[in-house]
Structures are given as structure tokens and as C-alpha cells.
Coordinates of all heavy atoms in Angstrom, one line a residue:
M1 N 0.8 -1.2 0.0 CA 0.0 0.0 0.0 C 0.9 1.2 0.0 O 1.6 1.5 1.0 CB -0.9 0.0 1.2 CG -1.9 1.0 1.3 SD -2.9 0.8 2.8 CE -4.4 1.4 2.3
T2 N 0.8 2.0 -1.1 CA 1.7 3.2 -1.2 C 0.9 4.4 -1.0 O -0.2 4.6 -1.6 CB 2.3 3.2 -2.7 OG1 3.0 2.0 -2.9 CG2 3.2 4.4 -2.8
P3 N 1.4 5.3 -0.1 CA 0.6 6.5 0.2 C 0.7 7.5 -1.0 O 1.7 7.6 -1.7 CB 1.3 7.1 1.4 CG 2.7 6.6 1.4 CD 2.6 5.2 0.7
P4 N -0.3 8.3 -1.2 CA -0.3 9.3 -2.3 C 0.4 10.6 -1.9 O -0.2 11.6 -1.5 CB -1.8 9.5 -2.5 CG -2.4 9.3 -1.2 CD -1.6 8.3 -0.5
L5 N 1.7 10.5 -1.9 CA 2.5 11.7 -1.5 C 2.2 13.0 -2.1 O 2.1 14.0 -1.5 CB 4.0 11.4 -1.7 CG 4.6 10.2 -1.0 CD1 6.1 10.1 -1.3 CD2 4.4 10.2 0.5
G6 N 1.9 12.9 -3.4 CA 1.5 14.1 -4.2 C 0.3 14.9 -3.7 O 0.2 16.1 -3.8
A7 N -0.6 14.1 -3.0 CA -1.8 14.8 -2.5 C -1.5 15.8 -1.5 O -2.3 16.7 -1.3 CB -2.8 13.7 -1.9
W8 N -0.4 15.7 -0.8 CA 0.1 16.7 0.2 C 1.3 17.4 -0.2 O 2.0 18.0 0.6 CB 0.2 16.0 1.6 CG -1.1 15.6 2.2 CD1 -1.9 16.4 2.9 CD2 -1.7 14.4 2.2 NE1 -3.0 15.8 3.3 CE2 -2.9 14.5 2.9 CE3 -1.4 13.1 1.6 CZ2 -3.8 13.4 3.0 CZ3 -2.2 12.1 1.8 CH2 -3.4 12.2 2.4
R9 N 1.6 17.2 -1.5 CA 2.8 17.8 -2.1 C 4.1 17.4 -1.4 O 5.0 18.2 -1.2 CB 2.7 19.3 -2.2 CG 1.6 19.8 -3.0 CD 1.4 21.3 -3.1 NE 0.4 21.7 -4.0 CZ -0.9 22.0 -3.5 NH1 -1.2 21.9 -2.3 NH2 -1.8 22.3 -4.4
L10 N 4.2 16.2 -1.0 CA 5.4 15.6 -0.3 C 6.3 14.9 -1.3 O 5.8 14.3 -2.3 CB 5.0 14.6 0.8 CG 4.0 15.2 1.9 CD1 3.7 14.1 2.8 CD2 4.7 16.3 2.6
T11 N 7.6 15.0 -1.1 CA 8.5 14.3 -1.9 C 9.5 13.6 -0.9 O 9.7 14.0 0.2 CB 9.3 15.3 -2.8 OG1 10.0 16.2 -2.0 CG2 8.4 15.9 -3.8
G12 N 10.1 12.6 -1.4 CA 11.1 11.9 -0.6 C 10.6 10.4 -0.3 O 9.5 10.0 -0.8
Q13 N 11.5 9.7 0.3 CA 11.2 8.3 0.6 C 10.5 8.1 1.9 O 11.0 8.5 2.9 CB 12.5 7.5 0.6 CG 12.4 6.0 0.8 CD 11.7 5.4 -0.4 OE1 11.8 5.8 -1.5 NE2 10.9 4.4 -0.1
P14 N 9.3 7.5 1.9 CA 8.6 7.3 3.2 C 9.4 6.3 4.1 O 9.9 5.3 3.6 CB 7.3 6.6 2.8 CG 7.1 7.0 1.4 CD 8.5 7.1 0.8
V15 N 9.6 6.6 5.4 CA 10.3 5.8 6.3 C 9.3 5.3 7.3 O 8.6 6.0 8.0 CB 11.4 6.6 7.0 CG1 12.1 5.8 8.1 CG2 12.4 7.2 6.0
P16 N 9.2 3.9 7.5 CA 8.2 3.4 8.5 C 8.6 3.8 9.9 O 9.7 3.9 10.3 CB 8.4 1.9 8.3 CG 9.0 1.7 7.0 CD 9.9 2.9 6.7
L17 N 7.5 4.1 10.7 CA 7.7 4.4 12.1 C 7.1 3.3 12.9 O 6.1 2.7 12.4 CB 7.0 5.8 12.4 CG 7.6 7.0 11.8 CD1 6.7 8.2 12.1 CD2 9.0 7.2 12.3
P18 N 7.6 3.1 14.1 CA 6.9 2.1 15.0 C 5.6 2.5 15.5 O 5.2 3.7 15.5 CB 7.9 2.0 16.1 CG 8.6 3.3 16.2 CD 8.7 3.8 14.8
G19 N 4.8 1.6 15.9 CA 3.5 1.9 16.4 C 2.4 1.8 15.3 O 2.6 1.2 14.3
G20 N 1.3 2.5 15.6 CA 0.3 2.6 14.6 C -0.8 1.5 14.8 O -1.8 1.4 14.1
H21 N -0.6 0.6 15.8 CA -1.5 -0.4 16.1 C -1.7 -1.3 14.8 O -0.8 -2.0 14.4 CB -2.8 0.1 16.7 CG -3.7 -0.9 17.2 ND1 -3.3 -1.9 18.1 CD2 -5.0 -1.1 17.1 CE1 -4.3 -2.6 18.4 NE2 -5.4 -2.2 17.8
R22 N -2.8 -1.2 14.2 CA -3.1 -2.0 13.0 C -2.9 -1.2 11.7 O -3.2 -1.7 10.6 CB -4.5 -2.6 13.0 CG -5.6 -1.6 13.1 CD -6.9 -2.3 13.2 NE -7.9 -1.3 13.6 CZ -8.5 -1.3 14.8 NH1 -8.2 -2.3 15.7 NH2 -9.4 -0.4 15.1
N23 N -2.5 0.1 11.8 CA -2.3 0.9 10.6 C -0.8 1.1 10.3 O 0.0 1.1 11.2 CB -3.0 2.3 10.8 CG -4.5 2.1 11.1 OD1 -5.1 1.4 10.4 ND2 -5.0 2.9 12.0
A24 N -0.5 1.4 9.0 CA 0.8 1.8 8.6 C 1.1 3.3 9.0 O 0.2 4.1 8.9 CB 1.0 1.6 7.1
V25 N 2.3 3.5 9.5 CA 2.7 4.9 9.9 C 4.0 5.2 9.2 O 5.0 4.4 9.4 CB 2.8 5.1 11.4 CG1 3.2 6.5 11.7 CG2 1.5 4.7 12.1
L26 N 4.1 6.2 8.4 CA 5.3 6.5 7.6 C 5.7 8.0 7.8 O 4.8 8.9 7.8 CB 5.0 6.3 6.1 CG 4.5 4.9 5.7 CD1 4.1 4.9 4.3 CD2 5.6 3.8 6.0
R27 N 6.9 8.2 7.9 CA 7.4 9.6 8.0 C 8.0 10.0 6.7 O 8.8 9.3 6.1 CB 8.5 9.8 9.1 CG 8.9 11.2 9.2 CD 9.9 11.4 10.4 NE 10.3 12.8 10.5 CZ 11.2 13.2 11.4 NH1 11.6 12.4 12.3 NH2 11.5 14.5 11.3
V28 N 7.6 11.2 6.2 CA 8.2 11.8 5.0 C 8.6 13.2 5.4 O 7.7 14.1 5.5 CB 7.2 11.8 3.8 CG1 7.8 12.4 2.6 CG2 6.7 10.4 3.5
G29 N 9.9 13.5 5.6 CA 10.3 14.8 6.0 C 9.7 15.2 7.3 O 9.8 14.4 8.3
Q30 N 9.0 16.3 7.4 CA 8.4 16.7 8.6 C 6.9 16.4 8.7 O 6.2 17.1 9.4 CB 8.6 18.3 8.8 CG 10.1 18.6 9.0 CD 10.6 18.0 10.3 OE1 10.0 18.0 11.4 NE2 11.7 17.2 10.2
H31 N 6.5 15.4 8.0 CA 5.1 14.9 8.0 C 5.1 13.4 8.3 O 6.0 12.7 8.0 CB 4.5 15.2 6.6 CG 4.4 16.7 6.3 ND1 5.4 17.4 5.8 CD2 3.4 17.6 6.6 CE1 5.1 18.7 5.6 NE2 3.9 18.8 6.1
V32 N 3.9 13.0 8.7 CA 3.6 11.6 9.0 C 2.4 11.3 8.3 O 1.3 12.0 8.3 CB 3.4 11.4 10.5 CG1 3.0 9.9 10.8 CG2 4.7 11.7 11.3
L33 N 2.4 10.2 7.5 CA 1.3 9.6 6.8 C 0.8 8.4 7.6 O 1.6 7.6 8.0 CB 1.7 9.3 5.4 CG 2.0 10.5 4.5 CD1 2.8 10.1 3.3 CD2 0.7 11.1 4.0
K34 N -0.5 8.3 7.7 CA -1.1 7.1 8.4 C -2.2 6.5 7.6 O -3.0 7.3 7.1 CB -1.7 7.6 9.8 CG -0.7 8.2 10.8 CD -1.5 8.6 12.0 CE -0.5 9.3 13.0 NZ -1.3 9.8 14.2
S35 N -2.2 5.2 7.5 CA -3.3 4.6 6.8 C -4.5 4.6 7.7 O -4.3 4.6 9.0 CB -2.9 3.1 6.4 OG -2.7 2.4 7.6
T36 N -5.7 4.7 7.2 CA -6.9 4.8 8.0 C -8.0 4.2 7.2 O -8.1 4.2 6.0 CB -7.2 6.3 8.3 OG1 -8.3 6.3 9.3 CG2 -7.5 7.1 7.1
R37 N -9.0 3.7 8.0 CA -10.3 3.2 7.5 C -11.4 4.2 7.9 O -12.5 4.0 7.6 CB -10.6 1.8 8.0 CG -9.7 0.8 7.3 CD -10.0 -0.6 7.8 NE -8.9 -1.1 8.6 CZ -9.0 -1.9 9.6 NH1 -10.1 -2.3 10.0 NH2 -7.9 -2.2 10.3
R38 N -11.0 5.3 8.6 CA -12.0 6.3 9.0 C -12.5 7.1 7.9 O -11.8 7.3 6.9 CB -11.4 7.2 10.1 CG -11.1 6.4 11.4 CD -10.6 7.4 12.4 NE -10.4 6.6 13.7 CZ -9.5 7.0 14.6 NH1 -8.8 8.1 14.5 NH2 -9.4 6.3 15.7
S39 N -13.7 7.6 8.0 CA -14.3 8.5 7.0 C -13.7 9.9 7.1 O -13.1 10.3 8.1 CB -15.8 8.5 7.2 OG -16.1 9.2 8.4
E40 N -14.0 10.7 6.1 CA -13.7 12.1 6.1 C -14.3 12.8 7.3 O -13.7 13.6 8.0 CB -14.2 12.7 4.8 CG -13.8 14.1 4.6 CD -12.3 14.4 4.2 OE1 -11.6 13.4 3.9 OE2 -11.9 15.5 4.3
A41 N -15.6 12.5 7.6 CA -16.3 13.1 8.7 C -15.6 12.7 10.0 O -15.5 13.5 10.9 CB -17.7 12.7 8.7
A42 N -15.2 11.5 10.2 CA -14.6 11.0 11.4 C -13.2 11.7 11.6 O -12.9 12.1 12.8 CB -14.4 9.5 11.4
I43 N -12.5 12.0 10.6 CA -11.2 12.7 10.7 C -11.5 14.2 11.0 O -10.8 14.8 11.9 CB -10.4 12.5 9.4 CG1 -10.0 11.0 9.2 CG2 -9.1 13.4 9.5 CD1 -9.2 10.4 10.3
A44 N -12.5 14.7 10.3 CA -12.8 16.2 10.6 C -13.3 16.4 12.0 O -13.0 17.4 12.6 CB -13.9 16.6 9.6
W45 N -13.9 15.4 12.6 CA -14.4 15.5 14.0 C -13.2 15.6 14.9 O -13.4 16.2 16.0 CB -15.2 14.2 14.3 CG -15.7 14.1 15.7 CD1 -16.9 14.6 16.1 CD2 -15.0 13.6 16.8 NE1 -17.0 14.4 17.5 CE2 -15.9 13.7 18.0 CE3 -13.8 12.9 17.0 CZ2 -15.5 13.3 19.2 CZ3 -13.5 12.5 18.3 CH2 -14.3 12.7 19.4
L46 N -12.0 15.2 14.6 CA -10.9 15.3 15.4 C -10.3 16.7 15.6 O -9.6 17.0 16.5 CB -9.7 14.3 14.9 CG -10.0 12.9 15.0 CD1 -8.9 12.1 14.2 CD2 -10.1 12.4 16.4
L47 N -10.6 17.6 14.6 CA -10.0 18.9 14.7 C -10.4 19.7 15.9 O -9.5 20.2 16.6 CB -10.4 19.7 13.4 CG -9.8 19.2 12.1 CD1 -10.4 20.0 10.9 CD2 -8.3 19.3 12.2
P48 N -11.6 19.8 16.3 CA -11.9 20.5 17.6 C -11.3 19.8 18.8 O -11.0 20.5 19.8 CB -13.4 20.7 17.6 CG -14.0 19.7 16.6 CD -12.9 19.5 15.6
V49 N -11.3 18.5 18.7 CA -10.7 17.8 19.8 C -9.2 18.1 20.0 O -8.7 18.4 21.1 CB -10.9 16.2 19.6 CG1 -10.2 15.5 20.7 CG2 -12.4 15.9 19.6
A50 N -8.5 18.2 18.8 CA -7.1 18.5 18.9 C -6.9 19.9 19.4 O -6.0 20.2 20.2 CB -6.5 18.4 17.5
R51 N -7.7 20.9 18.9 CA -7.6 22.3 19.4 C -7.9 22.3 20.9 O -7.2 23.1 21.6 CB -8.6 23.1 18.6 CG -8.2 23.5 17.2 CD -9.0 24.6 16.6 NE -10.3 24.2 16.1 CZ -10.5 23.7 14.9 NH1 -9.5 23.6 14.1 NH2 -11.7 23.3 14.5
H52 N -8.8 21.6 21.4 CA -9.1 21.6 22.8 C -7.9 21.0 23.6 O -7.5 21.6 24.7 CB -10.4 20.8 23.1 CG -10.8 20.8 24.6 ND1 -11.3 21.9 25.2 CD2 -10.6 19.9 25.6 CE1 -11.5 21.7 26.5 NE2 -11.1 20.5 26.7
A53 N -7.3 20.0 23.1 CA -6.2 19.4 23.8 C -5.0 20.4 23.8 O -4.3 20.5 24.8 CB -5.7 18.1 23.0
E54 N -4.8 21.2 22.7 CA -3.8 22.2 22.7 C -4.0 23.3 23.7 O -3.1 23.8 24.4 CB -3.6 22.7 21.3 CG -2.9 21.7 20.4 CD -2.3 22.3 19.2 OE1 -2.5 23.5 18.9 OE2 -1.7 21.5 18.4
V55 N -5.3 23.7 23.9 CA -5.7 24.7 24.9 C -5.3 24.2 26.3 O -4.9 24.9 27.2 CB -7.2 25.0 24.8 CG1 -7.7 25.8 26.0 CG2 -7.5 25.8 23.5
C56 N -5.4 22.8 26.5 CA -5.1 22.2 27.8 C -3.6 22.0 27.9 O -3.1 21.5 29.0 CB -5.7 20.9 27.9 SG -7.5 21.0 27.9
G57 N -2.8 22.4 26.9 CA -1.3 22.3 27.1 C -0.7 21.1 26.5 O 0.5 20.8 26.7
L58 N -1.5 20.3 25.7 CA -0.9 19.1 25.1 C -0.6 19.4 23.6 O -1.4 20.1 22.9 CB -2.0 18.0 25.1 CG -2.4 17.5 26.5 CD1 -3.6 16.6 26.5 CD2 -1.2 16.8 27.2
K59 N 0.5 18.9 23.1 CA 0.9 19.1 21.7 C 0.3 17.9 21.0 O 0.7 16.8 21.2 CB 2.4 19.2 21.6 CG 2.8 19.5 20.2 CD 4.3 19.7 20.2 CE 4.7 20.1 18.8 NZ 6.1 20.3 18.6
V60 N -0.7 18.3 20.1 CA -1.4 17.2 19.3 C -1.3 17.6 17.8 O -1.7 18.6 17.4 CB -2.9 17.2 19.7 CG1 -3.6 16.1 19.0 CG2 -3.0 17.0 21.2
P61 N -0.8 16.6 17.0 CA -0.7 16.9 15.6 C -2.1 16.8 15.0 O -2.8 15.8 15.2 CB 0.2 15.8 15.0 CG 0.1 14.7 16.0 CD -0.2 15.4 17.4
A62 N -2.6 17.8 14.3 CA -3.9 17.7 13.7 C -3.8 17.3 12.2 O -2.8 17.6 11.6 CB -4.6 19.1 13.8
P63 N -4.8 16.6 11.7 CA -4.7 16.2 10.3 C -4.7 17.4 9.4 O -5.3 18.5 9.7 CB -6.0 15.4 10.1 CG -6.8 15.6 11.3 CD -6.0 16.2 12.4
L64 N -4.0 17.3 8.3 CA -3.8 18.3 7.3 C -4.7 18.1 6.1 O -4.8 16.9 5.6 CB -2.3 18.4 6.8 CG -1.3 18.7 7.9 CD1 0.1 18.5 7.4 CD2 -1.5 20.1 8.5
R65 N -5.2 19.1 5.5 CA -6.0 19.0 4.2 C -5.0 18.7 3.1 O -4.0 19.3 3.0 CB -6.8 20.2 4.0 CG -8.0 20.3 4.9 CD -9.0 21.3 4.4 NE -10.1 21.5 5.3 CZ -11.2 20.7 5.3 NH1 -11.3 19.7 4.4 NH2 -12.1 20.8 6.2
S66 N -5.5 17.9 2.2 CA -4.7 17.6 1.0 C -4.9 18.7 -0.1 O -5.8 19.6 0.1 CB -5.1 16.2 0.4 OG -6.4 16.3 -0.2
S67 N -4.2 18.5 -1.2 CA -4.4 19.5 -2.3 C -5.8 19.3 -2.9 O -6.3 20.2 -3.6 CB -3.4 19.3 -3.4 OG -3.4 18.0 -3.9
L68 N -6.5 18.2 -2.6 CA -7.9 18.0 -3.0 C -8.9 18.6 -2.0 O -10.1 18.4 -2.2 CB -8.2 16.5 -3.1 CG -7.2 15.7 -4.1 CD1 -7.4 14.2 -4.0 CD2 -7.3 16.2 -5.5
D69 N -8.4 19.2 -1.0 CA -9.2 19.8 0.1 C -9.9 18.8 0.9 O -11.0 19.0 1.4 CB -10.2 20.9 -0.4 CG -10.7 21.8 0.7 OD1 -9.9 22.1 1.6 OD2 -11.8 22.3 0.6
T70 N -9.3 17.6 1.1 CA -9.9 16.5 1.9 C -8.8 16.1 2.9 O -7.6 16.4 2.7 CB -10.3 15.3 1.0 OG1 -9.1 14.8 0.4 CG2 -11.3 15.6 0.0
F71 N -9.2 15.5 4.0 CA -8.3 14.9 4.9 C -7.8 13.5 4.5 O -6.7 13.1 4.7 CB -8.9 14.9 6.3 CG -9.1 16.2 6.9 CD1 -10.4 16.7 7.1 CD2 -8.1 17.1 7.2 CE1 -10.7 17.9 7.6 CE2 -8.3 18.3 7.8 CZ -9.6 18.7 8.0
V72 N -8.7 12.7 3.9 CA -8.4 11.4 3.6 C -8.3 11.2 2.1 O -9.1 11.7 1.3 CB -9.6 10.4 4.0 CG1 -9.2 9.0 3.7 CG2 -9.8 10.6 5.5
V73 N -7.1 10.6 1.7 CA -6.9 10.4 0.2 C -6.4 8.9 0.1 O -5.4 8.5 0.7 CB -5.8 11.3 -0.4 CG1 -5.6 11.0 -1.8 CG2 -6.2 12.8 -0.2
D74 N -7.2 8.1 -0.6 CA -6.9 6.7 -0.9 C -6.6 6.0 0.4 O -5.7 5.1 0.5 CB -5.7 6.6 -1.8 CG -6.0 7.2 -3.2 OD1 -7.2 7.3 -3.5 OD2 -5.1 7.5 -3.9
G75 N -7.3 6.3 1.5 CA -7.1 5.6 2.8 C -5.9 6.1 3.6 O -5.4 5.3 4.5
W76 N -5.4 7.3 3.3 CA -4.3 7.8 4.1 C -4.6 9.2 4.6 O -5.4 10.0 3.9 CB -3.1 8.0 3.2 CG -2.5 6.6 2.8 CD1 -2.8 5.9 1.7 CD2 -1.5 5.9 3.5 NE1 -2.1 4.7 1.7 CE2 -1.2 4.7 2.8 CE3 -0.7 6.2 4.6 CZ2 -0.3 3.8 3.2 CZ3 0.3 5.3 5.0 CH2 0.5 4.1 4.3
I77 N -4.1 9.6 5.7 CA -4.2 11.0 6.3 C -2.7 11.4 6.5 O -1.8 10.6 6.5 CB -5.0 11.1 7.6 CG1 -4.3 10.3 8.7 CG2 -6.4 10.7 7.4 CD1 -4.9 10.5 10.1
C78 N -2.6 12.7 6.6 CA -1.3 13.4 6.8 C -1.3 14.3 8.0 O -2.3 15.0 8.1 CB -0.8 14.1 5.5 SG 0.8 14.9 5.6
E79 N -0.3 14.3 8.8 CA -0.2 15.2 10.0 C 1.2 15.7 10.0 O 2.2 15.1 9.5 CB -0.5 14.4 11.3 CG -1.8 13.8 11.4 CD -1.9 12.9 12.6 OE1 -0.9 12.6 13.3 OE2 -3.1 12.5 12.9
P80 N 1.4 16.8 10.7 CA 2.8 17.3 10.9 C 3.5 16.3 11.8 O 2.9 15.7 12.7 CB 2.7 18.7 11.5 CG 1.2 18.8 11.9 CD 0.5 17.8 11.2
F81 N 4.8 16.1 11.7 CA 5.6 15.3 12.6 C 5.7 16.0 13.9 O 5.9 17.2 14.0 CB 7.0 15.0 12.0 CG 7.8 14.2 12.9 CD1 7.6 12.9 13.1 CD2 8.8 14.8 13.7 CE1 8.4 12.1 14.0 CE2 9.6 14.1 14.5 CZ 9.4 12.7 14.7
C82 N 5.4 15.2 15.0 CA 5.5 15.8 16.3 C 6.5 14.9 17.1 O 6.2 13.8 17.4 CB 4.1 15.7 17.0 SG 4.0 16.4 18.6
A83 N 7.6 15.5 17.4 CA 8.7 14.7 18.1 C 8.2 14.5 19.6 O 7.5 15.3 20.1 CB 10.0 15.5 18.1
G84 N 8.6 13.4 20.1 CA 8.3 13.1 21.5 C 7.7 11.7 21.6 O 7.7 10.9 20.7
G85 N 7.3 11.4 22.8 CA 6.7 10.1 23.0 C 5.3 10.2 23.5 O 4.7 11.3 23.6
P86 N 4.7 9.1 23.8 CA 3.3 9.1 24.3 C 3.2 9.8 25.7 O 4.1 9.7 26.5 CB 2.9 7.6 24.4 CG 4.1 6.9 24.3 CD 5.2 7.7 23.7
T87 N 2.1 10.4 25.9 CA 1.8 11.1 27.2 C 1.0 10.1 28.0 O 0.0 9.5 27.6 CB 1.0 12.4 27.0 OG1 1.7 13.2 26.1 CG2 0.8 13.1 28.3
P88 N 1.4 9.9 29.3 CA 0.7 9.0 30.2 C -0.8 9.5 30.4 O -1.0 10.7 30.5 CB 1.4 9.0 31.5 CG 2.8 9.6 31.2 CD 2.6 10.4 30.0
P89 N -1.8 8.6 30.4 CA -3.2 9.0 30.5 C -3.4 9.9 31.7 O -4.2 10.8 31.7 CB -3.9 7.7 30.7 CG -3.1 6.7 30.0 CD -1.6 7.2 30.2
K90 N -2.7 9.7 32.9 CA -3.0 10.5 34.1 C -2.5 12.0 33.8 O -3.2 12.9 34.2 CB -2.2 10.0 35.3 CG -2.4 10.9 36.5 CD -2.0 10.2 37.8 CE -2.2 11.1 39.0 NZ -2.9 12.3 38.9
A91 N -1.4 12.2 33.1 CA -1.0 13.5 32.7 C -2.0 14.2 31.9 O -2.3 15.4 32.0 CB 0.3 13.5 32.0
I92 N -2.6 13.5 30.9 CA -3.7 14.1 30.1 C -4.9 14.5 31.0 O -5.4 15.6 30.9 CB -4.1 13.1 29.0 CG1 -2.9 12.9 28.0 CG2 -5.3 13.6 28.2 CD1 -3.2 11.8 27.0
A93 N -5.3 13.6 31.8 CA -6.5 13.8 32.7 C -6.2 15.0 33.6 O -7.1 15.9 33.8 CB -6.8 12.6 33.5
D94 N -5.0 15.2 34.1 CA -4.7 16.3 35.0 C -4.8 17.6 34.2 O -5.3 18.6 34.8 CB -3.3 16.1 35.6 CG -3.2 15.0 36.6 OD1 -4.2 14.5 37.1 OD2 -2.0 14.6 37.0
K95 N -4.3 17.6 33.0 CA -4.3 18.9 32.2 C -5.7 19.3 31.9 O -6.1 20.4 31.9 CB -3.5 18.8 31.0 CG -2.0 18.8 31.2 CD -1.2 18.8 29.9 CE 0.3 18.9 30.2 NZ 0.7 20.2 30.6
I96 N -6.6 18.3 31.5 CA -7.9 18.6 31.0 C -8.8 19.0 32.2 O -9.6 19.9 32.0 CB -8.5 17.4 30.3 CG1 -7.8 17.2 29.0 CG2 -10.0 17.5 30.1 CD1 -8.2 15.9 28.2
T97 N -8.6 18.5 33.4 CA -9.4 18.8 34.5 C -9.1 20.2 35.0 O -9.9 20.8 35.8 CB -9.4 17.8 35.6 OG1 -8.0 17.7 36.0 CG2 -9.9 16.5 35.2
R98 N -8.0 20.8 34.6 CA -7.6 22.2 35.1 C -8.4 23.2 34.4 O -8.4 24.4 34.8 CB -6.1 22.4 34.8 CG -5.3 21.6 35.8 CD -3.8 21.9 35.6 NE -3.0 20.9 36.3 CZ -1.8 20.5 35.9 NH1 -1.2 21.1 34.9 NH2 -1.2 19.6 36.5
L99 N -9.1 22.9 33.3 CA -9.9 24.0 32.5 C -11.1 24.4 33.3 O -11.7 23.8 34.0 CB -10.2 23.5 31.2 CG -9.1 23.5 30.1 CD1 -9.6 23.0 28.8 CD2 -8.6 24.9 30.0

């Protein structure tokens, strides 16, 4: 399964990243492509959630629109690369309850 790099105007060789549960996760420069079975509406629903998380002090990569003005292209989404590791659930709960 090859991601449509041109849909986000990306060039370069995709490099597999660990994780992703049952989906493929690839890094291309400063972007991450993830395979998905989610619908356009399901991905769009994540935008306000990501904004709320950022208000709470969490750094969350939000999906990027493609050149087709969609989030999902051929079963792939694209996000900016976010360096770091997973945040423990308790740390997330502590930040969110402070609002």
C-alpha cells in the first residue's frame, strides 16, 4: 500500500515508524502519513478535539488537508511530525481537568 505523497505535495522516501496499532505509519520529512479506514467526517471530527487538547497544554498533531481539500486520500491521512513520546493518561487527565 503506497501513500499518495503528491496529494500533500510531499517528496522523498517514506520511512516506516513504529506503532500505529493496525495501521501503517510513515514519516516523509516533517510529515507523518497514516493509513486509515476512518471516514472524512470522522477525521474532521478530530479537529476541535485537537484544538481543545492544545488549549489544555498538550501538543497534538492535527490532520492536514490535501491538495484536493480533503483529509483522507486513498485511505491515508497526513499530519505534521510531532517529536516526543506518548503522554501517560494521568497527565492528560490532569491537564484537562484544570480547565
Side-chain angles (χ1 to χ4, degrees):
M1 187 178 210
T2 305
L5 301 180
W8 289 278
R9 296 181 179 94
L10 301 176
T11 58
Q13 183 65 35
V15 177
L17 293 175
H21 191 49
R22 61 182 164 249
N23 299 319
V25 181
L26 307 169
R27 182 173 177 181
V28 180
Q30 292 302 307
H31 295 86
V32 174
L33 292 158
K34 298 177 182 178
S35 65
T36 187
R37 287 182 249 148
R38 292 183 177 155
S39 69
E40 183 75 14
I43 299 300
W45 179 87
L46 293 172
L47 290 175
V49 174
R51 282 193 281 274
H52 183 74
E54 287 195 357
V55 167
C56 294
L58 299 169
K59 187 173 183 180
V60 179
L64 302 171
R65 288 196 180 273
S66 71
S67 59
L68 305 171
D69 200 33
T70 61
F71 293 112
V72 181
V73 178
D74 296 339
W76 291 88
I77 62 169
C78 182
E79 300 173 349
F81 177 75
C82 183
T87 303
K90 178 162 178 12
I92 294 171
D94 289 348
K95 287 184 179 284
I96 290 174
T97 57
R98 288 184 197 151
L99 280 182

